[in-house]
């Protein structure tokens, strides 16, 4: 299959890469670009383990073609750390025990990252509906909700 | 000696047992630096993908690989015929049966493994799977286990025809696997005959799947030059994998290295050894290249180990006051096409005989018959000890059925039947010796916390208004920590656990333990145990698991065995080090060992509080100044063979409101009190309980693997298979009591599975309780809105007035 040349930014770095038109964004990011933080849990956009930020929106990269990222801005969990400083969400997930096996965590963090920009001071019910596209099998969500609340508080007072 | 603020500080510095220490594994996970199997990329690595059967039961008349092999990038296509010369087309199961690695002349369940394509790229492998032509002749499928042993049932396992044994005792039909019974049948039958009251219900623990968020997979890498095989694999039991792989392949166990990297959840799904792993290993040996095989979600739900499928008939006999006199349970167990359930080898129904629960039942009898059907093989413990969820469900539901029949409150009937605190150690009618417990105290604490009487009053008022409200109780006892090697083995290997500890000269530590974390936080909690035992801060204790080249032989993590067995091994290994440290301290202080007492992180001379040697001092001395006759160094290994299982327990209460027009059940309140003995890390315990309750909620309310008459599986993607989201998941309230296990070095019992085991009957009891004023004795799970609505509608409760 003829490959196509695409360019985008990944975690603020310029990327040029050759992809097959049918290749999924998640595979290009994980396998070609070797950023393996985003995971694959279902391949049908139900679990959200592959959630990342594309042009200021949460997307599930298992059902986005890599060519759709052309000219775009992609942020993955690896890009949350800036100047060696953890994002308040990362701190809060550790603080509130918002993760166990860690498999859903990058997708959770990336959804929460975008969600808190959409709604900086959410109620519990708003967090529950705003993050409903991300599944976790370990935590029962309660501590993830706490982590998002803690991060929201810390970000507001920062 | 009175505890001074300075002592308290020294103790806190250790961050040992009882501390809600933040997890050591989190920094890598929150930065995307976890290391899961699909993250592994080795030089020259190629990709395997499986061709699977579209039929539940069919003869394979031919396989044509030509088109697939012609596709550029395809390296090979392996079928059963290719594995035959190596005698690897079948493999032994942990249950004494055999399982086809690749289908040998026929397929016995839909999505069974038929061939593996190996290609240079995962997209090419997926394309080539479509190009493998398999000619099938469809056979009648056997789906309903109740029809498995009728005269003209289709014979599923032709390889076993004429054999009256399939690894677990006598067979009485071609589709029969085993009969297993326990207890005194004649005494039980006699008690039932003369009992004042008896109750009997059929109840199903439906077929479900543990469905961890990460599917199963491996990267097999055979080095042709030195004959070494390395397999990175999502395994809850890496050492068992090593032994089995060595036995199957003929490669010396010393040349097989199994590495379980970070695991994205297990819940029992990652205990077994699956065909995909075996074929990937063979492919790597054949090609001399690393081969990666990763399941898709559909493959995971359709072919790797399911749980439950226990069709139970529960019976209780009691006097008119509700005192239970006998219990009888008969179970038909659907094991699918191959008997590859994961239990200790001698226990075909696992620890199902814990089914007398928390109650003092004088006589009991249980029988389980396993049968083959045209469904995926399995029968694993989904976040529970072996078959304990099924056992706890039957007793916790049946006691409610009995309560209803006698019009006794469900809390009151439990109280009347509880094993009393002074009866421990308690010998159960089905042969277990319960270590410790205080069931009435746990129940009373919960009832008070939720104002049980107030809830019952509210329920009565709502019923008067035609509203549906249910209150469910579950006062369960688990059996975990398998287990004593005299009772438990896996393929002949006793179910001990191991720990090796090395204290370095500068006082930091590495400890290696034979279990493997899948999210339980072992790196954090084991370090806390060793910190308290050695007096070295947990931050200076590195924990390593999962690499069979470095870690001593262990049986792995499942059945809540990490703290009960692995934690005991860690504590015991640490105590060996402390014993040696005492000798060194005595030498350094020039006193006798008897003159020393242990004080948090140091030995001090009794009566001379200034004469001390800290563990750090001793560690340094261990490498340069030890007494005559003592070896240098400071390390130990312990293989811990537990004297008994542990018996965690709890009291749970659930309040539900049911919409009588839609059948939707809203969990208004869930209060979970757990007693897991000594608590190592309260934060992690609470997290485990939240997660276990959420999985229990899923099973009780929605989860089910459904098959149609042709054996086609329905609902094998996350489109249909229910995993609760943020939205449905209830809010959890947790509580605890502490009743230490007398036989465990730390008094700890294990906790992660209790919420699943105890939670399922609690939800189910709550939904059933909502209908307890009507002539309905038992409604089976899952309590999905549609199924609940059907009950409501059949009763005419949704008539608008």
């Amino acid at each position: 299959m003829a490959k196509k040349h695409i360019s985008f930014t990944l975690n603020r770095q310029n990327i040029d890469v050759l992809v097959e038109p049918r290749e999924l964004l998640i595979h290009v990011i994980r396998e070609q670009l070797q950023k393996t933080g985003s995971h694959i849990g279902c391949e049908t956009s139900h679990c959200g383990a592959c959630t990342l930020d594309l042009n200021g929106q949460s997307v599930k990269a298992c059902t986005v073609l890599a060519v759709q990222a052309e000219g775009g801005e992609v942020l993955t969990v690896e890009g949350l750390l800036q100047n060696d400083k953890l994002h308040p969400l990362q701190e809060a997930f550790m603080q509130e025990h918002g993760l166990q096996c860690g498999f859903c965590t990058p997708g959770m963090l990336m959804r929460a990252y975008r969600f808190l920009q959409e709604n900086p001071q959410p109620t519990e019910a708003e967090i529950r509906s705003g993050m409903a596209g991300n599944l976790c099998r370990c935590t029962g969500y309660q501590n993830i909700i706490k982590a998002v609340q803690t991060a929201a508080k810390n970000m507001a007072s920062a | 000696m009175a505890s001074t603020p300075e002592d308290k500080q020294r103790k806190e510095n250790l961050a040992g047992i009882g501390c809600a220490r933040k997890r050591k594994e989190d920094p890598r996970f929150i930065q995307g630096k976890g290391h899961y199997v699909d993250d592994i990329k080795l030089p020259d690595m190629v990709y395997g993908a499986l061709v699977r059967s579209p039929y539940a039961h069919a003869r394979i008349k031919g396989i044509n690989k030509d088109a697939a092999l012609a596709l550029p990038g395809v390296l090979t296509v392996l079928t059963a015929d290719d594995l035959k010369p190596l005698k690897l087309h079948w493999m032994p199961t942990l249950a004494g049966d055999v399982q086809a690695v690749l289908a040998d002349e026929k397929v016995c369940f839909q999505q069974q493994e038929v061939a593996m394509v190996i290609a240079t790229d995962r997209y090419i492998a997926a394309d080539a799977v479509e190009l493998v032509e398999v000619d099938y002749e469809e056979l009648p499928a056997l789906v309903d286990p109740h029809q498995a042993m009728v005269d003209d049932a289709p014979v599923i396992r032709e390889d076993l025809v004429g054999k009256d044994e399939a690894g677990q005792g006598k067979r009485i039909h071609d589709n029969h696997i085993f009969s297993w019974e326990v207890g005194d049948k004649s005494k039980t039958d006699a008690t039932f005959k003369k009992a004042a009251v008896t109750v009997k219900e059929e109840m199903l623990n439906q077929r479900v799947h543990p469905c961890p968020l990460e599917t199963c997979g491996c990267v097999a890498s055979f080095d042709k030059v030195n004959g070494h095989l390395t397999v990175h694999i999502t395994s809850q039991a890496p050492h068992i994998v090593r032994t089995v792989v060595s036995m199957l392949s003929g490669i010396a166990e010393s040349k097989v290295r199994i590495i379980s990297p970070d695991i994205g959840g297990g819940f029992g799904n990652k205990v077994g050894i699956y065909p995909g792993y075996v074929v990937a290993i063979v492919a790597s040996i054949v090609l001399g290249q690393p081969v990666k095989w990763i399941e898709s979600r559909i493959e995971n739900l359709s072919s790797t180990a399911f749980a439950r499928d226990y069709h139970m008939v529960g019976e209780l006999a009691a006097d008119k006051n509700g005192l239970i006199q006998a219990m009888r349970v008969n179970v038909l167990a659907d094991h699918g096409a191959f008997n590859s359930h994961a239990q200790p080898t001698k226990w075909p129904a696992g620890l199902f005989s814990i089914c007398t629960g928390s109650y003092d039942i004088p006589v009991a009898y249980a029988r389980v018959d396993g049968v083959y059907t045209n469904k995926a093989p399995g029968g694993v413990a989904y976040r529970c000890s072996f078959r304990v969820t099924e056992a706890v469900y039957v007793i916790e539901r049946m006691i409610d059925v009995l309560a209803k029949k006698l019009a006794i409150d469900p809390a009151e009937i439990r109280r009347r039947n509880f094993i009393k605190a002074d009866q421990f150690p308690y010998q159960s009618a089905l042969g277990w010796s319960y270590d410790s417990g205080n069931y009435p105290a746990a129940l009373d604490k919960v009832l008070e916390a939720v104002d049980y009487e107030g809830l019952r009053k509210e329920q009565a008022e709502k019923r008067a208004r035609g509203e549906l409200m249910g209150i469910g109780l579950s006062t369960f006892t688990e059996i975990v920590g398998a287990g004593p090697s005299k009772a438990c083995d896996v393929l002949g290997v006793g179910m001990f656990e191991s720990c090796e500890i090395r204290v370095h000269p500068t006082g930091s530590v590495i400890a290696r333990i034979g279990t493997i974390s899948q999210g339980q936080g072992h790196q954090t909690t084991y370090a806390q145990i060793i910190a308290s035992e050695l007096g070295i801060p947990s931050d200076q204790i590195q924990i390593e698991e999962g690499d069979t080249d470095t870690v001593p032989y262990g049986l792995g993590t499942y059945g809540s065995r990490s703290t009960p067995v692995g934690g005991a091994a860690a504590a015991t290994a640490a105590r060996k080090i402390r014993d040696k440290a005492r000798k060194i301290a005595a030498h350094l202080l020039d006193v006798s060992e008897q003159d020393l007492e242990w004080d948090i992180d140091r030995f001090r001379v009794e009566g001379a509080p200034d004469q001390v040697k800290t563990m750090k001092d001793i560690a340094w001395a261990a490498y340069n100044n030890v007494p005559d006759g003592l070896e240098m160094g400071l390390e130990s290994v312990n293989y811990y063979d537990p004297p008994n299982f542990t018996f965690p327990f709890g009291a749970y209460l659930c309040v539900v409101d049911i919409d009588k027009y839609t059948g939707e059940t809203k969990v208004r309140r869930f209060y979970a009190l757990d007693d897991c003995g000594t608590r190592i890390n309260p934060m992690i315990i609470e997290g485990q309980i939240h997660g276990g309750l959420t999985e229990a909620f899923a099973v009780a309310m929605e989860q089910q693997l459904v098959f149609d008459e042709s054996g086609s599986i329905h609902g094998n993607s996350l489109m249909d298979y229910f995993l609760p989201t943020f939205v449905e998941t209830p809010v959890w309230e947790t509580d605890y009591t502490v009743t230490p296990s007398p036989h465990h070095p730390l008094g700890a019992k294990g906790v992660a599975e209790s919420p699943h085991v105890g939670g399922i009957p609690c939800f189910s009891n709550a939904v059933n309780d909502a209908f307890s004023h009507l002539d309905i004795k038992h409604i089976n799970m899952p309590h999905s809105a549609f199924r609940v609505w059907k009950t409501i509608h059949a009763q005419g409760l949704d008539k608008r007035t």
Side-chain angles (χ1 to χ4, degrees), chain A residues 3-138:
Chain A
K3 292 202 175 184
K4 197 173 156 42
H5 181 256
I6 59 167
S7 308
F8 57 94
T9 67
L10 175 60
N11 303 330
R12 301 172 288 276
Q13 306 273 314
N14 293 324
I15 298 285
D16 293 297
V17 66
L18 270 178
V19 302
E20 282 186 39
R22 65 173 178 171
E23 259 183 282
L24 297 171
L25 181 59
I26 188 68
H27 286 141
V28 171
I29 285 177
R30 285 179 48 80
E31 292 179 16
Q32 280 209 56
L33 303 175
Q34 304 211 26
K35 294 279 179 272
T36 55
S38 311
H39 298 137
I40 303 172
C42 69
E43 300 164 311
T44 50
S45 22
H46 289 91
C47 80
C50 62
T51 304
L52 47 77
D53 211 67
L54 172 61
N55 299 330
Q57 277 193 315
S58 298
V59 300
K60 291 177 174 173
C62 75
T63 40
V64 173
L65 295 167
V67 291
Q68 291 176 273
E70 166 66 25
E73 283 179 20
V74 177
L75 190 75
T76 66
V77 69
E78 288 92 345
L80 284 184
L81 187 83
Q82 284 206 65
N83 307 323
D84 281 338
K85 200 170 155 15
L86 292 175
H87 190 277
L89 273 162
Q90 292 173 306
E91 297 278 7
F93 268 64
M94 291 200 289
Q95 180 64 31
E96 304 295 352
H97 188 27
L99 65 151
Q100 290 179 24
C101 82
F103 198 76
C104 75
T105 309
M108 272 309 164
L109 283 166
M110 293 315 294
R111 176 58 199 139
Y113 166 83
R114 178 53 49 196
F115 174 66
L116 284 185
Q117 293 178 52
E118 294 160 359
N119 184 350
Q121 291 299 319
T123 63
E124 183 190 329
E126 286 166 348
I127 295 172
R128 284 186 184 268
S129 70
M131 306 252 325
N134 289 66
L135 298 176
C136 172
R137 295 286 289 142
C138 298

Side-chain angles (χ1 to χ4, degrees), chain B residues 109-110 207 302-304 306 335-338 373-378 707:
Chain B
F109 67 95
Q110 195 192 40
R207 183 175 276 237
S302 317
S303 70
T304 49
F306 75 92
H335 283 229
F338 306 98
T373 61
N374 288 118
K375 294 181 206 154
F707 294 80

Side-chain angles (χ1 to χ4, degrees), chain B residues 597-650:
Chain B
E597 61 182 13
W598 176 249
D599 175 25
I600 301 170
D601 58 355
R602 61 195 60 182
F603 284 103
R604 52 185 196 87
V605 179
E606 256 182 287
D610 294 342
Q611 295 265 58
V612 299
K613 285 292 166 192
T614 65
M615 204 57 165
K616 201 172 158 66
D617 301 331
I618 296 164
W620 185 255
Y623 292 86
N624 60 36
N625 181 12
V626 297
D628 287 346
L630 200 66
E631 278 178 56
M632 287 263 174
L634 198 55
E635 59 183 69
S636 70
V637 183
N638 177 250
Y639 284 79
Y640 185 82
D641 185 7
N644 191 4
F645 295 84
T646 60
F647 297 77
F649 63 95

Side-chain angles (χ1 to χ4, degrees), chain A residues 22-24 27 30-31 39 41 43 90 95 97 100-103 128 131 135 137-142, chain B residues 22-23 30 36 38-39 41 122-123 127 210-211 297 382 518 687 690-691 694-695 724 726 729 732:
Chain A
R22 65 173 178 171
E23 259 183 282
L24 297 171
H27 286 141
R30 285 179 48 80
E31 292 179 16
H39 298 137
E43 300 164 311
Q90 292 173 306
Q95 180 64 31
H97 188 27
Q100 290 179 24
C101 82
F103 198 76
R128 284 186 184 268
M131 306 252 325
L135 298 176
R137 295 286 289 142
C138 298
T139 64
Y141 304 108
Q142 204 153 312
Chain B
K22 299 299 170 217
R23 298 199 331 159
I30 55 144
Y36 302 90
D38 198 17
D39 301 341
K41 198 171 180 180
R122 57 166 103 215
Y123 285 68
D127 288 341
C211 197
R297 175 56 60 194
Y382 171 7
Q518 309 125 42
H690 288 176
T694 306
E695 291 192 349
F726 276 91
T729 303
W732 311 117

